[in-house]
């Protein structure tokens, strides 16, 4: 799975292994001076600043990579910028980065999902200190960050929570089906956030989860979605790279659905409710503009609704007035810091208290990165 959730897990693992390569640290989350004076220089043979984007898949995948592609397109509005994009770079990320830095003369390289290639990419960053490397995800080392490396981390679970709330209002069967990649902590936090939202709307709502694996094909995703629909779910959702098959199955079965990563409403015009989307445009544009101007920029940018890093897709026709009002209010509370998705008491699906009463786990809390449980009301298909 190449979503940010999977990427972040790989980043956490790989960053520690590659830390010895990095010798010019800066405090994470702090504004840092620009890299050497050549950083903002134009691309070779061009008057424009070269910005390269490495996609680990198809940039028109109606999923994770497309969300980044939409943000990359927003960069073209910045003056004096030349965009270089490379698709399907998984497995060759370091070599492709070398191409962007060398022959293409890019002075900023954005990587959508580094995964196991992170050590090689960090080695490239270490060898090319006049180029900034920006990654989707969060580093393990929260004390240091090399001067020419930055990370973006968005809290998608906030948007999934709102999607779940809307789905909870919409489900008449009080059974929602969700297709997910694998039970890694960052996948589980989104699954559980969705479930907690659905049960805010109606505590009787049950969420059935089908884990299909990180390498599941669109056909396998569709099969899992069909099984959930035929098993009684009247709303379908997803937490994996490509949710398009889930929405298509829902529409074919005449039931409702929630999208993921980018706007999928066109694939379920009758049954689409809302979706959890990334919103990287602001983070990309602000960071690139600061780097290009030689001004201080943050090495680690984290946030959810508060930073405008996530959003929900516009409501579909099946979303009622009460659901809209409740969802809008809940989103505003998350955005202004007056609420958090994981606020105790929360029990898992075995009845064990996993978040104590009065305790709140916010987006950057380390406990969320160690999540191994499914919330009360959530069952795994086949278990």
């Amino acid at each position: 799975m190449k979503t940010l959730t999977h990427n972040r897990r790989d980043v956490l693992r790989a960053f520690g292994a590659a830390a010895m390569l990095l010798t010019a640290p800066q405090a994470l989350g702090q504004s840092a001076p620009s890299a050497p004076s050549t950083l903002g220089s134009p691309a070779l043979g061009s008057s424009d600043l070269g910005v390269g984007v490495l996609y680990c898949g198809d940039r028109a995948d109606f999923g994770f990579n497309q969300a980044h592609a939409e943000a990359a397109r927003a960069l073209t509005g910045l003056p004096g910028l030349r965009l270089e994009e490379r698709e399907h770079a998984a497995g060759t990320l370091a070599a492709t980065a070398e191409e962007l830095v060398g022959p293409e003369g890019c002075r900023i390289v954005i990587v959508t999902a580094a995964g196991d290639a992170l050590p090689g990419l960090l080695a490239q960053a270490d060898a090319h200190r006049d180029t900034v490397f920006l990654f989707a995800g969060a580093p393990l080392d929260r004390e240091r960050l090399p001067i020419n490396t930055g990370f973006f981390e968005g809290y998608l679970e906030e948007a999934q929570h709102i999607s779940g709330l809307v789905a909870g209002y919409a489900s008449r069967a009080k059974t929602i089906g969700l297709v997910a990649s694998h039970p890694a902590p960052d996948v589980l936090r989104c699954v559980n956030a969705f479930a907690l939202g659905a049960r805010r709307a109606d505590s009787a709502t049950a969420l059935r989860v089908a884990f299909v694996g990180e390498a599941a094909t669109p056909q396998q995703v569709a099969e899992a979605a069909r099984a959930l629909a035929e098993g009684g779910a009247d709303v379908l959702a997803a937490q994996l790279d490509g949710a398009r098959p889930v929405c298509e199955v829902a529409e074919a079965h005449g039931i409702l659905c929630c999208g993921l990563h980018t706007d999928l409403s066109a694939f379920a015009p009758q049954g689409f409710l809302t979706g959890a989307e990334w919103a990287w445009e602001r983070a990309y544009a602000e960071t690139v503009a600061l780097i290009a101007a030689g001004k201080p920029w943050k090495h680690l940018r984290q946030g959810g609704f508060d930073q405008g890093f996530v959003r929900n897709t516009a409501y579909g026709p099946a979303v009622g007035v009460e659901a809209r009002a409740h969802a809008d209010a809940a989103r505003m509370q998350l955005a202004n810091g007056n609420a958090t998705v994981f606020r105790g008491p929360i029990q898992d699906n075995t009845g064990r208290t996993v978040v104590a009463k009065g305790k709140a786990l916010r987006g950057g809390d380390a406990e969320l990165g160690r999540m191994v449980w499914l919330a009360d009301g959530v069952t795994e298909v086949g278990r």
Side-chain angles (χ1 to χ4, degrees):
M1 179 178 180
K2 302 179 189 69
T3 59
L4 180 60
T5 54
H6 171 234
N7 176 52
R8 183 176 183 273
R9 177 172 60 88
D10 286 339
V11 167
L12 294 178
R13 181 177 69 246
F15 191 89
M20 66 184 65
L21 298 171
L22 310 173
T23 58
Q26 290 289 334
L28 265 179
Q30 300 298 315
S31 294
S34 61
S37 59
T38 56
L39 175 62
S41 63
L44 299 178
S46 169
S47 61
D48 295 332
L49 173 69
V51 177
V53 183
L54 289 179
Y55 303 100
C56 286
D58 186 347
R59 60 182 167 179
D61 61 1
F62 298 101
F64 177 72
N65 284 291
Q66 183 165 323
H68 284 279
E70 290 169 0
R73 281 196 293 274
L75 288 177
T76 59
L78 297 176
L81 183 146
R82 174 175 57 88
L83 193 64
E84 296 285 346
E85 298 175 281
R86 298 292 185 272
E87 299 177 273
H88 304 288
T92 62
L93 282 173
T96 309
E98 175 69 22
E99 173 194 333
L100 289 172
V101 174
E104 297 297 342
C106 293
R107 291 297 170 259
I108 300 173
V109 175
I110 301 170
V111 184
T112 64
D116 293 333
L118 184 60
L121 288 164
L122 291 179
Q124 289 287 350
D126 193 49
H128 300 284
R129 290 303 182 91
D130 59 344
T131 299
V132 168
F133 284 72
L134 302 173
F135 302 94
L140 178 61
D141 188 342
R142 294 184 179 270
E143 299 297 327
R144 295 182 172 186
L145 194 66
I147 197 170
N148 63 324
T149 308
F151 290 79
F152 300 122
E153 182 185 21
Y155 304 147
L156 191 65
E157 66 268 19
E158 293 186 359
Q160 281 285 44
H161 185 69
I162 301 303
S163 289
L165 179 61
V166 172
Y169 272 99
S171 177
R172 295 184 177 181
K174 300 309 169 189
T175 302
I176 299 172
L178 190 149
V179 184
S181 57
H182 62 308
D186 288 328
V187 175
L188 292 176
R189 68 196 278 182
C190 285
V191 171
N192 287 327
F194 188 100
L196 291 170
R199 289 168 72 83
R200 281 181 69 175
D202 190 325
S203 60
T205 303
L207 181 69
R208 303 184 70 219
V209 180
F211 291 107
V212 294
E214 296 178 82
T217 65
Q219 293 74 21
Q220 290 171 323
V221 172
E223 289 171 6
R226 280 193 289 269
L228 289 167
E230 292 165 3
D234 63 350
V235 180
L236 296 180
Q239 185 57 45
L240 37 65
D241 274 354
R244 174 179 172 176
V246 175
C247 291
E248 292 174 331
V249 167
E251 192 76 355
H253 279 73
I255 61 177
L256 306 171
C257 67
C258 292
L260 184 67
H261 299 311
T262 189
D263 185 351
L264 297 180
S265 58
F267 300 105
Q270 300 302 314
F272 190 81
L273 295 172
T274 185
E277 295 186 32
W278 302 106
W280 296 120
E281 293 86 352
R282 174 181 172 184
Y284 272 24
E286 289 180 352
T287 301
V288 169
L290 288 171
I291 293 170
K295 295 181 179 180
W297 53 282
K298 282 189 175 182
H299 284 188
L300 176 61
R301 298 194 62 177
Q302 298 170 292
F305 289 126
D306 60 337
Q307 296 296 315
F309 287 1
V310 299
R311 61 181 168 238
N312 285 102
T313 313
Y315 299 128
V319 182
V321 174
E322 184 179 0
R324 291 171 184 247
H326 194 172
D328 288 345
R331 186 185 302 106
M332 183 62 69
Q333 288 181 322
L334 289 169
N336 61 28
N338 290 334
T340 184
V341 173
F342 297 100
R343 182 182 298 276
I346 298 175
Q347 291 185 324
D348 67 11
N349 60 5
T350 69
R352 178 174 61 100
T353 298
V354 287
V355 182
K357 182 178 180 179
K359 184 175 182 178
L361 303 178
R362 300 190 179 274
D365 197 297
E367 281 193 41
L368 294 178
R370 299 190 295 268
M371 187 175 291
V372 295
W373 45 269
L374 288 170
D376 185 30
V378 183
T379 58
E380 182 180 348
V381 173
R383 294 289 180 91

